[in-house]
Every structure is written in C-alpha cells, then in structure tokens.
C-alpha cells in the first residue's frame, strides 16, 4: 500500500487468503473484494480484478502483492503517457541475488489504458488489446517495480495450467516454450527437450531471443543427461540464433569450463563480455551479467599462462560480487603471483 500510494485508487481481488490480508488492506483504504475462481486460471482472476476498476479511471497499473513500486512512478508515467498511448513498458526486477544485487531484470508492459484490454492464457497470462485502431506502447524509464516473492510458495499449479494452455491453443509458441521450460525446471529432461523442439518447429516461433532460450534449455537438459556432445551442438545453434545476447555465450563457456577447454573458454567469455547492452526482455539471465563471465575468463587466462589478463579479469569479477569469498581468494592469489613475477629492482 505504501508503494501504491501515488495511485488515486487501489483495487484488490482476494482469491482465497486465510489470514488478515483483506482487513489490513481495507484499513489502508484499498477497495477489496473476494471471489473464488473455480477452476483456477490466472486470466480469469485478472479479468475479475479488472471489474473492480472505476469506470472513470484512465490508467490501470497491474501489480501483485509481492511487487512494490519505487517512489516517483506516477510522475514518470504521466510524463511519458500521450493521448494515444494504450500501454506502458517499465523496468522490472523479477529477482534479487542473496547479496541484494539484481538478478533477472526485464521490461514488462502491464500498465494499460482502462477498458481496452482483457487477460488471456490460463497461466503466464498476457494482455490482449480489444480497443479500436492500433496499440500504442510507450517505454517509461523512470518506473521501477521490484518483485519480492515468497520462496516457499509452490509452483505446483503451473504445470497443469501450461498443459491446458497448449491444449487450448496448440499453435501458441509462447505457451509451448513455457511448458518446455517448466518440464526442465521439474527435471523432466526428455519431456522438456521434446516440447522445446516442438516450440522451435511452430510457424509462429520466430522471435530469435525466445528461440535462443529454447535452444539453451535443450542444451541444459542434454547436459543433465550426460550428453555434452549434443549440448554443444545446441549451444552452437543458440549463439547463431541470437548473437546479440550474452546468455548463449556464457552457457557455452560453462560447458567449456567443465571440459577444461581453456582456449574455447577464453574465446566465448570475450564474446559474452563484448555484448554490453542487457536485453529488455524476460529472457536475460542474472548470472550472465554478474561476476561469472569475468570469473571464467580469469581462470581460462591463468591456465593459458596469461597472468596479467587473469588478474585484470579477477578484479572485475570481485568488484561485481564483493561478498564472494572464492572470488576474493582468487584475486589475492593472482595478486601474489603478479608480485612474485615482477622484475626485481636493480
């Protein structure tokens, strides 16, 4: 409620809380209604929540109870919104690392004009435009939304809902990709591979970033099955599919690190670090933008006898993860090695 305090009205649909959430929200001024959604679907729940929005509201900002706006979001939104704008894209930190640094960051678009959208898909629901004319989406750099999920919360309902989504629309590439990813999360490696390969074969699966992710996930599954040879083939494909992304290079570097292929490791780390712009999609991975590529690079360079380069890379890695004991120890090792190899004064 603090993070939403810049809004004129806060409307909440409660779908089954068993504590004092409703009373606490109402005490802070929220409009709260409770409704049982049976059978459960996220799109149905969100469409019910839209019914709570006052008819004279211009803009709807869809957030969940585990998401918080940082202050100043309304002024940024009003400055960017135009008369023909229908939806706004903003910066979203989906996860944080244990040290508090950002993990997965992307730019969703769940801020929209009132009355011209509805939610679709049983899970991983998206907004579908129902208004006249064309959608007009504006990016708002000044909005930051942070996600603080409960790690104990079950994802058990996701799989059956994703399987339902694919049954409802077998040609929906996004749902097929999500289903393959969910199988991977659950360790169902063969199902994940088959589903992700089906995603790649769908006519609507044309977005390079998502295709690259499916290829990386297939490689990840093959690695868990002990088939690094097949994983390497899929990582080659992933790099070729989206060379503008850092993630496939880092994934390939991980495979080469385990194989002790030091020249290859150095090459792919440098390719990864040459990508300096983080994609604004949900497909970027926090590990690719942290210390890992610099860490791999330092080890690879050291193994190739390039001590000064290893030291420089280790400094970058330690700066990006100052609480990591191993990285600090590696840096100290490289620094001692540099002192021992320095020429003695005359």
């Amino acid at each position: 409620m603090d993070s939403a305090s810049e809004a004129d009205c806060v409307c909440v649909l409660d779908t089954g809380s068993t504590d004092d959430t409703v009373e606490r929200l109402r005490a802070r001024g929220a409009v709260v209604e409770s409704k049982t959604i049976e059978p459960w679907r996220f799109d149905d729940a969100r469409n019910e929540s839209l019914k709570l929005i006052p008819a004279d509201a211009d803009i709807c900002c869809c957030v969940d109870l585990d998401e918080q706006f940082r202050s100043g979001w309304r002024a940024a939104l009003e400055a960017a919104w135009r008369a023909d704008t229908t939806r706004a894209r903003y910066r979203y930190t989906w996860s944080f690392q244990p040290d508090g640094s950002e993990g997965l960051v992307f730019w969703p678009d769940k801020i929209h004009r009132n009355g011209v959208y509805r939610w679709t898909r049983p899970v991983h629901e998206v907004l579908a435009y129902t208004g006249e004319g064309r959608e007009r989406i504006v990016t708002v750099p000044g909005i930051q939304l942070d996600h603080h999920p409960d790690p104990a919360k079950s994802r058990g309902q996701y799989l059956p809902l994703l399987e339902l989504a694919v049954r409802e629309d077998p040609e929906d590439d996004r749902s097929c990709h999500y289903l393959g990813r969910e199988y991977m999360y659950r360790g169902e490696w063969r199902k994940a591979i088959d589903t992700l390969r089906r995603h790649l074969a769908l006519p609507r699966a044309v977005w390079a970033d998502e295709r690259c992710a499916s290829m990386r996930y297939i490689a990840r599954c093959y690695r868990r099955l002990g088939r690094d040879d097949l994983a390497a083939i899929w990582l080659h494909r992933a790099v070729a599919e989206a060379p503008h992304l850092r993630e496939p290079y880092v994934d390939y570097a991980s495979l080469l690190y385990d194989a002790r292929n030091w020249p290859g490791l150095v090459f792919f780390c440098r390719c990864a670090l040459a990508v300096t712009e983080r994609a604004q999609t949900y497909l970027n991975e926090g590990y690719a933008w942290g210390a890992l590529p610099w860490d791999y690079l330092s080890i690879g360079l050291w193994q190739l006898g390039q001590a000064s380069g290893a030291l420089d890379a280790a400094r970058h890695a330690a700066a990006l993860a100052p609480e990591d004991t191993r990285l600090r120890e590696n840096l100290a090792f490289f620094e001692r090695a540099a002192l021992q190899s320095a020429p003695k004064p005359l």
Side-chain angles (χ1 to χ4, degrees):
M1 289 301 293
D2 290 340
S3 81
S5 62
E6 297 173 25
D8 295 314
C9 180
V10 178
C11 301
V12 180
L13 180 73
D14 174 70
T15 58
S17 65
T18 57
D19 54 17
D20 60 349
T21 296
V22 171
E23 291 74 17
R24 293 175 68 181
L25 286 168
R26 285 175 176 159
R28 290 292 306 273
V31 175
V32 187
E33 290 194 16
S34 298
K35 186 177 181 66
T36 300
I37 308 298
E38 187 65 39
W40 174 261
R41 297 174 58 112
F42 284 93
D43 54 355
D44 285 350
R46 292 207 187 274
N47 285 326
E48 286 295 324
S49 72
L50 281 177
K51 296 177 183 178
L52 306 181
I53 307 297
D56 61 350
D58 298 314
I59 305 173
C60 304
C61 305
C62 178
V63 295
D64 292 337
L65 289 185
D66 58 5
E67 297 171 340
Q68 297 172 2
F69 278 123
R70 296 186 193 176
S71 63
W73 60 267
R74 176 170 180 156
L77 178 59
E78 290 181 331
W81 198 271
R82 299 292 180 265
D84 62 349
T85 300
T86 62
R87 188 152 41 152
R89 184 180 292 117
Y90 48 93
R91 193 175 189 274
Y92 179 53
T93 303
W94 186 84
S95 63
F96 290 87
Q97 307 287 11
D99 64 0
S101 61
E102 291 184 317
L104 177 58
V105 178
F106 59 99
W107 291 69
D109 46 19
K110 293 183 179 180
I111 296 177
H112 60 90
R113 178 177 292 180
N114 191 20
V116 295
Y117 283 94
R118 65 179 179 86
W119 293 92
T120 64
R121 294 185 186 149
V123 65
H124 296 304
E125 61 284 5
V126 294
L127 287 165
Y129 183 59
T130 60
E132 298 179 356
R134 296 176 55 192
E135 266 193 295
R136 301 288 184 181
I137 302 176
V138 63
T139 298
V140 187
I143 294 179
Q144 173 65 41
L145 185 64
D146 295 331
H147 183 220
H148 298 283
D150 179 358
K153 190 174 181 180
S154 172
R155 290 177 54 94
Q157 60 189 332
Y158 278 46
L159 181 57
L161 288 173
L162 280 168
E163 291 173 333
L164 172 63
V166 171
R167 289 196 301 271
E168 288 184 346
D169 187 356
E171 299 302 306
D172 181 10
D173 54 303
R174 177 64 54 80
S175 292
C176 189
H177 170 77
Y178 281 152
L179 177 59
R181 185 183 67 173
E182 192 67 24
Y183 284 138
M184 179 190 69
Y185 287 158
R186 292 167 174 263
E188 299 186 47
W189 313 121
R190 292 293 181 186
K191 273 189 175 182
I193 291 169
D194 291 345
T195 306
L196 292 165
R197 292 190 69 164
R198 181 178 176 275
H199 163 251
L200 294 169
L202 289 172
R204 284 152 53 180
V206 296
W207 183 26
D209 295 28
E210 200 163 68
R211 290 179 59 82
C212 173
S214 281
M215 294 170 186
R216 291 193 297 109
Y217 298 158
I218 290 171
R220 195 174 299 176
C221 293
Y222 274 127
R223 293 205 67 189
R224 296 302 295 265
L225 291 169
R227 294 299 307 270
D228 281 6
D229 55 334
L230 295 178
I233 291 172
W234 282 98
L235 288 172
H236 268 296
R237 291 187 61 180
V239 167
E241 187 73 35
H244 58 283
L245 299 180
R246 182 180 282 195
E247 287 72 15
Y249 298 114
V250 177
D251 284 6
Y252 210 146
S254 179
L255 184 148
L256 295 169
Y257 171 81
D258 289 343
R260 301 301 189 258
N261 182 337
W262 309 122
L265 175 65
V266 168
F267 174 79
F268 276 95
C269 285
R270 284 176 168 159
C271 288
L273 293 167
V275 180
T276 58
E277 292 294 325
R278 186 169 180 162
Q280 294 186 358
T281 73
Y282 78 96
L283 294 162
N284 72 81
E285 306 267 10
Y287 63 78
W289 295 91
L292 185 60
W294 288 106
D295 180 29
Y296 279 155
L297 180 60
S298 70
I299 295 169
L301 289 172
W302 175 260
Q303 294 291 340
L304 294 176
Q306 300 180 35
S308 62
L311 174 58
D312 180 67
R315 284 172 175 158
H316 279 89
L320 287 168
E323 303 303 317
D324 191 309
T325 301
R326 183 184 63 81
L327 294 181
R328 293 201 308 270
E329 292 175 349
N330 278 6
L331 176 57
F333 171 83
F334 292 135
E335 289 174 336
R336 289 194 301 271
L339 286 174
Q340 292 168 3
S341 63
K344 299 296 187 290
L346 297 176

